[in-house]
Amino acid sequence: MTATKILVTGGAGYIGSHTCLALATKDFIPVVYDNFSSGHREFVKWGPVEEGDIRDRSRLREVLARHKPAAVLHFAGLIEVSQSFKEPEAFYDINVGGSLNLLQAMMEADIRAFVFSSTCATYGQPQYMPLDEAHPQAPINPYGRTKHIVEQALRDFALCDRMRSVMLRYFNAAGADSEGRIGEWHTPETHAIPRLIEAALGRRQGFSIFGDDYETRDGTCIRDYVHVSDLAEAHVRAVEYLLNGGETVAINLGTGTGTSVQELVTAVEAVSGRPLPVTKAERRPGDPPLLVASNATARALLGWEPEHHVDDIIRSAWTWHRRFNGHS
């Protein structure tokens, strides 16, 4: 029996590449579809690669006809919140237009199982904690709005019996493959843990904590950091859920516990054995003090629970960044 192929758009990126590794471990064949605008050819290690843009319908048709995947995992898109305020048109073009283009190509090819890389940014300002999937969705930035629009389209496609989807709303992806084969490689790097590690390695001038007077246990913001390998495992389970006939659903991916910025600093100092040059800065507008997921739906529907603790995240990220300095 031949292994099942899964098309992975953005499969050369951070979460996409870790998911390709997880798919291959479960005997799927991940077919990477990426335009390499931000993904890395070095990260394509576990299956064939097709270069292309999600906005290119004829290229998508060609790839879908050649590989005949059983499902599509959709990671390709723009992800930086701050960039979405500077170039909202690019986010609508790629995140909305590109996603709809991909979905139309899938429907033409009669592929009806779709796992969508969504985000907790679709919720906007939290009204209660922990955040569950029933929390109102009122995104406060263009990035979150583009993801929310695609979610609405997917619900309509399900309603009209055109597509079954799992919408995975990530909290803070972090960490790296335990064997150091792949890791977090963004240019520029905007995420807290890699920035802290770069500061510890002397590659960055210090680290700023934005606000230390929040109503949290140590005054700094608390976020839900989930190991990228745990996220990848959830995507494989989402594919299996759909291939077994599962219905369209939105699922949070988080640990259910939060880590403060100050706790991250302390953890990186412990792993690196080096004091970090940290400065205090003003709060950033729109930063909620606390963002933590309820992962009860993931547990109930996918049998998924995160296996890694924040210390595992820091250690795996430290190993990756120490070995890797922005060049393969």
Side-chain angles (χ1 to χ4, degrees):
M1 187 174 145
T2 54
T4 303
K5 286 184 175 180
I6 307 295
L7 189 73
V8 185
T9 72
Y14 175 42
I15 303 173
S17 61
H18 284 82
T19 301
C20 287
L21 166 57
L23 285 164
T25 305
K26 294 281 182 75
D27 296 326
F28 289 100
I29 298 173
V31 179
V32 170
Y33 184 87
D34 206 299
N35 67 1
F36 296 102
S37 58
S38 59
H40 309 289
R41 292 179 196 277
E42 299 92 325
F43 283 8
V44 182
K45 299 171 185 275
W46 294 282
V49 60
E50 298 281 1
E51 190 162 352
D53 194 292
I54 53 170
R55 294 166 293 181
D56 184 343
R57 181 85 63 88
S58 62
R59 180 71 179 127
L60 282 168
R61 283 190 185 118
E62 187 185 312
V63 169
L64 291 172
R66 178 179 304 133
H67 293 282
K68 299 182 171 55
V72 173
L73 278 157
H74 180 38
F75 295 96
L78 300 179
I79 61 168
E80 287 303 332
V81 171
S82 58
Q83 186 194 352
S84 77
F85 284 104
K86 296 172 190 156
E87 300 178 83
E89 65 281 12
F91 278 70
Y92 278 86
D93 180 33
I94 295 167
N95 291 5
V96 178
S99 297
L100 292 174
N101 197 49
L102 169 63
L103 285 157
Q104 285 174 282
M106 284 176 65
M107 290 186 282
E108 286 172 15
D110 201 30
I111 299 161
R112 308 287 175 169
F114 186 73
V115 178
F116 180 51
S117 172
S118 192
T119 170
C120 64
T122 63
Y123 293 122
Q125 288 291 356
Q127 297 176 17
Y128 58 82
M129 209 59 61
L131 284 166
D132 59 22
E133 293 83 359
H135 187 286
Q137 288 180 287
I140 57 173
N141 53 61
Y143 163 66
R145 266 190 285 278
T146 60
K147 293 288 192 177
H148 186 216
I149 288 166
V150 177
E151 282 198 14
Q152 289 173 301
L154 291 172
R155 291 196 182 282
D156 282 340
F157 294 169
L159 195 66
C160 304
D161 219 19
R162 302 287 284 147
M163 186 70 63
R164 288 176 303 109
S165 311
V166 176
M167 299 165 267
L168 295 174
R169 297 175 186 157
Y170 312 161
F171 281 65
N172 293 58
D177 164 49
S178 61
E179 293 181 32
R181 292 165 286 187
I182 47 178
E184 193 162 8
W185 178 8
H186 295 119
T187 309
E189 186 52 74
T190 60
H191 295 167
I193 290 172
R195 286 172 71 96
L196 274 167
I197 290 170
E198 287 174 1
L201 289 166
R203 297 176 189 162
R204 181 180 291 277
Q205 289 293 311
F207 180 84
S208 294
I209 294 178
F210 296 99
D212 62 352
D213 57 351
Y214 287 97
E215 286 186 21
T216 58
R217 54 184 171 259
D218 59 21
T220 64
C221 283
I222 291 174
R223 295 292 180 267
D224 192 336
Y225 295 92
V226 57
H227 197 292
V228 66
S229 298
D230 286 331
L231 282 180
E233 171 64 22
H235 286 78
V236 177
R237 290 181 183 223
V239 166
E240 292 169 337
Y241 164 85
L242 288 172
L243 295 183
N244 288 326
E247 293 302 317
T248 293
V249 66
I251 299 177
N252 284 343
L253 294 181
T255 63
T257 59
T259 305
S260 75
V261 180
Q262 183 56 57
E263 287 164 351
L264 288 183
V265 171
T266 304
V268 171
E269 286 179 333
V271 168
S272 66
R274 305 170 191 186
L276 278 172
V278 172
T279 54
K280 302 291 170 68
E282 292 296 308
R283 292 183 180 194
R284 290 182 299 197
D287 261 356
L290 178 65
L291 270 181
V292 178
S294 161
N295 58 22
T297 304
R299 198 161 55 246
L301 288 183
L302 305 181
W304 177 85
E305 281 189 88
E307 293 183 359
H308 298 84
H309 186 264
V310 72
D311 291 339
D312 303 320
I313 289 173
I314 303 287
R315 270 195 299 272
S316 64
W318 172 255
T319 301
W320 163 256
H321 285 284
R322 190 175 51 178
R323 190 175 65 73
F324 175 88
N325 62 3
H327 306 282
S328 61

